[in-house]
Amino acid sequence: MVGLFGIILSLVLLMYLAYRGITVLILAPLLAVMAVLFAGDLPLLATYTQVFMTAAGRFVTTYFPLFLLGALFGKLMDDSGSARAIAHWIVQKLGAERSILAVVLACGILTYGGVSLFVVAFAVYPIAVALFREAEIPKRLIPGAIALGSFTFTMTALPGTPAIQNLIPMPYFGTDAFAAPGLGIMAAAIMLVGGTAWLGWRHHRAHAAGEGYGNHADDPATASGVSPRPRSVGAMAIDQEEVGAPGILVAVLPIVLVIALNYVFTNHLIPTWDTGYLAEPKYGATTVNKVQGTWAIIIALVISSVAVAALNWRVLRDRIASSINDGAMGSLLPIFNTASEVGYGAVIASLAAFAILRDAVLNLSPDNPLISLAVAVNVLAGVTGSASGGMSIALETLGATYAQLGQAAGINPELLHRVTAISSGGFDALPHNGAVITLLAICKLTHRQSYVDILVVAVAIPVTSLIAVITLGTMLGSF
């Protein structure tokens, strides 16, 4: 019981201290050591160097190219003006009367194309301010709209998304980024329609109560000394032309390339290659099925990054080196944060008391491992405040077990993949989540003002979609 108490205490402290802003690079190893001290049955230094660091290093080895190339692509899209061009085009086409949907779709298209959600938030926020002010929609709904477009259906549900939450399950289940496409599209539709309907209802309720945009002295226009009079959608389009941003076709082409090339290489090209050498020990004694998903997204991101640079060379040529360097450096903190959480999970899994928690989770639904898998990933994502971190801990400790349980139960690995990915995007968006805190800071709003909407669109509705996927997947299988 002492060992079990140590595990629970370390998890609680991880959640609380991460919320207080302490980096998991420090928290993860320290709290792993604390759990070992409570257990009293493992050597501290050996656990750190041989268990924690081995698991963290294995994660970096597997996923570093994806973090690196994803961050690089996002930075090039940002610096070239492509991200802002896409956002402006969408809001121009939909108009101020559909401001909420415009913001959601702008965020969704950008994140589905591989642009970092933080880049998206910074790029879309000023546009959302102008739109919401013009349409007299309360500013407090902006974080919910950005969260819906960035944290939900494009992160975990849509097939082919290059979000890391959709890529981490691939090596564990031998799948690719397009796993269970039908179920993924259904889940995405539930999130998009449900979230947009919620935000629309909140707007109509505020309008009926006489609440408009509100007076916010720290908005981008006001803070810069410009009159806070709303700009029209047409004026924003003119502004975009004046700064030399790319046209919509040039801006969106790299995003189309990411998705299209990923699909073509995964399903048509890589399977035709002679990859018998992968069976050799020096190449990991593996098969092409286990690596083709990773290979495909690497190729897609490399070609698409080159395309962004080539199509926008006039804008990027004087700062291409800084864009590449900043993009590369921007990948380091996210991957090492997640790797530290993976190392933490490996240490917890090595403790004798973990067997109690493992058996409790696995016995939640002995006849349907999809349910216990969903619970495990959701709980750990909630505890860590990280979709990728919680998922990684769950798969590091129980991934092989669920792969075996799925095979025994006749469950398609693609269904396991999609359930894992969607599960990571549920409880991860609790108040201590770093992306939530950052989004509210960008929007200059507080949890009290805006978190209820984030809770509904990024937690409650994604969990509802997860339940629908598990129900249909259990009845009909993967599709």
Side-chain angles (χ1 to χ4, degrees), residues 292-323:
Q292 67 181 14
T294 302
W295 287 5
I297 194 63
I298 287 174
I299 296 169
L301 286 171
V302 167
I303 295 176
S304 300
S305 296
V306 172
V308 176
L311 291 169
N312 299 279
W313 185 248
R314 180 176 60 84
V315 175
L316 290 173
R317 61 184 176 186
D318 293 332
R319 51 178 171 175
I320 188 67
S322 62
S323 294

Short mmCIF file of all heavy atoms in Angstrom, two decimals, residues 292-323:
data_model
loop_
_atom_site.label_atom_id
_atom_site.label_comp_id
_atom_site.label_asym_id
_atom_site.label_seq_id
_atom_site.Cartn_x
_atom_site.Cartn_y
_atom_site.Cartn_z
N GLN A 292 6.30 2.31 -42.06
CA GLN A 292 5.89 3.05 -43.25
C GLN A 292 5.11 4.33 -42.90
O GLN A 292 5.22 5.34 -43.61
CB GLN A 292 5.09 2.18 -44.19
CG GLN A 292 3.73 1.74 -43.69
CD GLN A 292 3.03 0.85 -44.71
OE1 GLN A 292 3.63 0.34 -45.65
NE2 GLN A 292 1.73 0.64 -44.52
N GLY A 293 4.35 4.29 -41.81
CA GLY A 293 3.63 5.50 -41.40
C GLY A 293 4.58 6.62 -41.05
O GLY A 293 4.38 7.78 -41.43
N THR A 294 5.65 6.29 -40.31
CA THR A 294 6.65 7.29 -39.93
C THR A 294 7.42 7.77 -41.15
O THR A 294 7.65 8.97 -41.33
CB THR A 294 7.62 6.70 -38.89
OG1 THR A 294 6.88 6.26 -37.75
CG2 THR A 294 8.66 7.71 -38.48
N TRP A 295 7.83 6.84 -42.00
CA TRP A 295 8.55 7.22 -43.22
C TRP A 295 7.73 8.15 -44.08
O TRP A 295 8.24 9.14 -44.62
CB TRP A 295 8.92 5.96 -44.01
CG TRP A 295 10.03 5.15 -43.42
CD1 TRP A 295 10.66 5.37 -42.23
CD2 TRP A 295 10.61 3.98 -43.98
NE1 TRP A 295 11.61 4.39 -42.02
CE2 TRP A 295 11.61 3.54 -43.09
CE3 TRP A 295 10.40 3.26 -45.15
CZ2 TRP A 295 12.38 2.40 -43.32
CZ3 TRP A 295 11.17 2.12 -45.40
CH2 TRP A 295 12.15 1.70 -44.50
N ALA A 296 6.46 7.84 -44.23
CA ALA A 296 5.60 8.63 -45.12
C ALA A 296 5.46 10.07 -44.63
O ALA A 296 5.55 11.02 -45.43
CB ALA A 296 4.22 7.97 -45.23
N ILE A 297 5.25 10.26 -43.34
CA ILE A 297 5.06 11.62 -42.84
C ILE A 297 6.38 12.39 -42.87
O ILE A 297 6.40 13.61 -43.10
CB ILE A 297 4.45 11.62 -41.43
CG1 ILE A 297 3.94 13.02 -41.06
CG2 ILE A 297 5.41 11.11 -40.39
CD1 ILE A 297 2.84 13.53 -41.93
N ILE A 298 7.51 11.70 -42.69
CA ILE A 298 8.81 12.37 -42.82
C ILE A 298 9.00 12.89 -44.25
O ILE A 298 9.36 14.06 -44.47
CB ILE A 298 9.96 11.40 -42.46
CG1 ILE A 298 9.98 11.16 -40.95
CG2 ILE A 298 11.30 11.95 -42.91
CD1 ILE A 298 10.99 10.11 -40.51
N ILE A 299 8.75 12.04 -45.22
CA ILE A 299 8.89 12.46 -46.63
C ILE A 299 7.94 13.60 -46.95
O ILE A 299 8.32 14.60 -47.59
CB ILE A 299 8.63 11.26 -47.56
CG1 ILE A 299 9.69 10.18 -47.35
CG2 ILE A 299 8.62 11.71 -49.03
CD1 ILE A 299 9.36 8.86 -48.05
N ALA A 300 6.69 13.48 -46.49
CA ALA A 300 5.69 14.50 -46.78
C ALA A 300 6.09 15.85 -46.20
O ALA A 300 5.95 16.90 -46.85
CB ALA A 300 4.33 14.07 -46.25
N LEU A 301 6.58 15.87 -44.97
CA LEU A 301 6.94 17.12 -44.32
C LEU A 301 8.19 17.74 -44.94
O LEU A 301 8.30 18.97 -45.07
CB LEU A 301 7.13 16.91 -42.82
CG LEU A 301 5.85 16.72 -42.01
CD1 LEU A 301 6.17 16.30 -40.58
CD2 LEU A 301 5.02 18.00 -42.00
N VAL A 302 9.15 16.89 -45.34
CA VAL A 302 10.36 17.42 -45.99
C VAL A 302 10.00 18.10 -47.31
O VAL A 302 10.40 19.25 -47.58
CB VAL A 302 11.39 16.30 -46.22
CG1 VAL A 302 12.49 16.77 -47.16
CG2 VAL A 302 12.01 15.85 -44.90
N ILE A 303 9.25 17.40 -48.16
CA ILE A 303 8.89 17.96 -49.47
C ILE A 303 8.03 19.21 -49.30
O ILE A 303 8.23 20.23 -49.99
CB ILE A 303 8.15 16.90 -50.31
CG1 ILE A 303 9.09 15.74 -50.64
CG2 ILE A 303 7.61 17.53 -51.60
CD1 ILE A 303 8.43 14.60 -51.38
N SER A 304 7.10 19.18 -48.36
CA SER A 304 6.21 20.32 -48.16
C SER A 304 6.96 21.52 -47.60
O SER A 304 6.65 22.67 -47.95
CB SER A 304 5.06 19.93 -47.23
OG SER A 304 4.31 18.86 -47.79
N SER A 305 7.94 21.28 -46.73
CA SER A 305 8.75 22.39 -46.20
C SER A 305 9.56 23.04 -47.32
O SER A 305 9.67 24.28 -47.40
CB SER A 305 9.68 21.89 -45.10
OG SER A 305 8.94 21.42 -43.98
N VAL A 306 10.13 22.22 -48.19
CA VAL A 306 10.86 22.75 -49.34
C VAL A 306 9.90 23.55 -50.24
O VAL A 306 10.26 24.62 -50.76
CB VAL A 306 11.53 21.62 -50.15
CG1 VAL A 306 12.11 22.14 -51.45
CG2 VAL A 306 12.62 20.95 -49.31
N ALA A 307 8.69 23.05 -50.39
CA ALA A 307 7.70 23.74 -51.22
C ALA A 307 7.35 25.11 -50.64
O ALA A 307 7.22 26.09 -51.39
CB ALA A 307 6.45 22.88 -51.36
N VAL A 308 7.18 25.19 -49.31
CA VAL A 308 6.88 26.48 -48.68
C VAL A 308 7.99 27.48 -48.97
O VAL A 308 7.75 28.63 -49.37
CB VAL A 308 6.71 26.34 -47.16
CG1 VAL A 308 6.51 27.71 -46.52
CG2 VAL A 308 5.53 25.45 -46.82
N ALA A 309 9.24 27.03 -48.77
CA ALA A 309 10.38 27.92 -49.00
C ALA A 309 10.47 28.35 -50.46
O ALA A 309 10.71 29.53 -50.76
CB ALA A 309 11.67 27.23 -48.56
N ALA A 310 10.28 27.41 -51.38
CA ALA A 310 10.39 27.74 -52.82
C ALA A 310 9.28 28.66 -53.27
O ALA A 310 9.53 29.63 -54.01
CB ALA A 310 10.37 26.44 -53.63
N LEU A 311 8.07 28.41 -52.84
CA LEU A 311 6.93 29.22 -53.26
C LEU A 311 6.95 30.62 -52.68
O LEU A 311 6.35 31.55 -53.23
CB LEU A 311 5.62 28.52 -52.88
CG LEU A 311 5.29 27.22 -53.64
CD1 LEU A 311 4.12 26.51 -52.98
CD2 LEU A 311 4.98 27.52 -55.10
N ASN A 312 7.64 30.77 -51.55
CA ASN A 312 7.67 32.06 -50.86
C ASN A 312 9.10 32.58 -50.72
O ASN A 312 9.43 33.28 -49.76
CB ASN A 312 7.03 31.92 -49.48
CG ASN A 312 5.58 31.50 -49.53
OD1 ASN A 312 4.68 32.31 -49.76
ND2 ASN A 312 5.34 30.21 -49.33
N TRP A 313 9.94 32.26 -51.71
CA TRP A 313 11.36 32.60 -51.61
C TRP A 313 11.57 34.11 -51.52
O TRP A 313 12.47 34.58 -50.81
CB TRP A 313 12.13 32.03 -52.79
CG TRP A 313 13.61 32.25 -52.67
CD1 TRP A 313 14.40 33.05 -53.43
CD2 TRP A 313 14.47 31.64 -51.71
NE1 TRP A 313 15.70 32.99 -53.01
CE2 TRP A 313 15.77 32.12 -51.96
CE3 TRP A 313 14.26 30.73 -50.67
CZ2 TRP A 313 16.87 31.73 -51.19
CZ3 TRP A 313 15.35 30.34 -49.91
CH2 TRP A 313 16.63 30.84 -50.17
N ARG A 314 10.76 34.87 -52.21
CA ARG A 314 10.91 36.33 -52.18
C ARG A 314 10.77 36.87 -50.75
O ARG A 314 11.48 37.81 -50.36
CB ARG A 314 9.87 36.98 -53.08
CG ARG A 314 9.94 38.50 -53.14
CD ARG A 314 8.93 39.04 -54.14
NE ARG A 314 7.57 38.65 -53.79
CZ ARG A 314 6.82 39.34 -52.91
NH1 ARG A 314 7.31 40.41 -52.32
NH2 ARG A 314 5.59 38.96 -52.67
N VAL A 315 9.87 36.29 -49.99
CA VAL A 315 9.65 36.72 -48.61
C VAL A 315 10.68 36.12 -47.66
O VAL A 315 11.15 36.78 -46.73
CB VAL A 315 8.22 36.35 -48.16
CG1 VAL A 315 8.00 36.68 -46.69
CG2 VAL A 315 7.19 37.05 -49.04
N LEU A 316 11.05 34.86 -47.91
CA LEU A 316 11.86 34.11 -46.94
C LEU A 316 13.37 34.20 -47.17
O LEU A 316 14.14 33.85 -46.28
CB LEU A 316 11.45 32.63 -46.96
CG LEU A 316 10.07 32.30 -46.38
CD1 LEU A 316 9.74 30.83 -46.63
CD2 LEU A 316 10.02 32.61 -44.89
N ARG A 317 13.80 34.65 -48.35
CA ARG A 317 15.21 34.49 -48.69
C ARG A 317 16.14 35.20 -47.72
O ARG A 317 17.25 34.71 -47.44
CB ARG A 317 15.46 34.99 -50.10
CG ARG A 317 15.16 36.46 -50.34
CD ARG A 317 15.35 36.83 -51.80
NE ARG A 317 14.97 38.22 -52.04
CZ ARG A 317 14.92 38.74 -53.25
NH1 ARG A 317 15.23 37.99 -54.31
NH2 ARG A 317 14.56 40.01 -53.42
N ASP A 318 15.72 36.34 -47.17
CA ASP A 318 16.60 37.08 -46.26
C ASP A 318 16.58 36.53 -44.84
O ASP A 318 17.41 36.93 -44.02
CB ASP A 318 16.21 38.57 -46.24
CG ASP A 318 16.47 39.25 -47.57
OD1 ASP A 318 17.39 38.80 -48.29
OD2 ASP A 318 15.75 40.21 -47.91
N ARG A 319 15.62 35.65 -44.55
CA ARG A 319 15.55 35.11 -43.18
C ARG A 319 15.34 33.60 -43.16
O ARG A 319 14.87 33.05 -42.17
CB ARG A 319 14.41 35.80 -42.43
CG ARG A 319 13.07 35.80 -43.15
CD ARG A 319 11.99 36.44 -42.31
NE ARG A 319 10.75 36.63 -43.05
CZ ARG A 319 9.63 37.09 -42.53
NH1 ARG A 319 9.59 37.40 -41.25
NH2 ARG A 319 8.55 37.25 -43.26
N ILE A 320 15.69 32.96 -44.26
CA ILE A 320 15.48 31.51 -44.33
C ILE A 320 16.29 30.79 -43.26
O ILE A 320 15.81 29.83 -42.65
CB ILE A 320 15.81 30.96 -45.74
CG1 ILE A 320 15.41 29.50 -45.86
CG2 ILE A 320 17.28 31.17 -46.08
CD1 ILE A 320 13.95 29.25 -45.82
N ALA A 321 17.52 31.27 -43.01
CA ALA A 321 18.35 30.61 -42.01
C ALA A 321 17.73 30.74 -40.63
O ALA A 321 17.68 29.76 -39.86
CB ALA A 321 19.76 31.21 -42.02
N SER A 322 17.24 31.93 -40.29
CA SER A 322 16.64 32.11 -38.97
C SER A 322 15.34 31.32 -38.83
O SER A 322 15.03 30.78 -37.76
CB SER A 322 16.38 33.59 -38.69
OG SER A 322 15.45 34.13 -39.62
N SER A 323 14.58 31.23 -39.94
CA SER A 323 13.34 30.44 -39.89
C SER A 323 13.64 28.97 -39.63
O SER A 323 12.99 28.31 -38.81
CB SER A 323 12.56 30.59 -41.20
OG SER A 323 12.10 31.90 -41.37
#
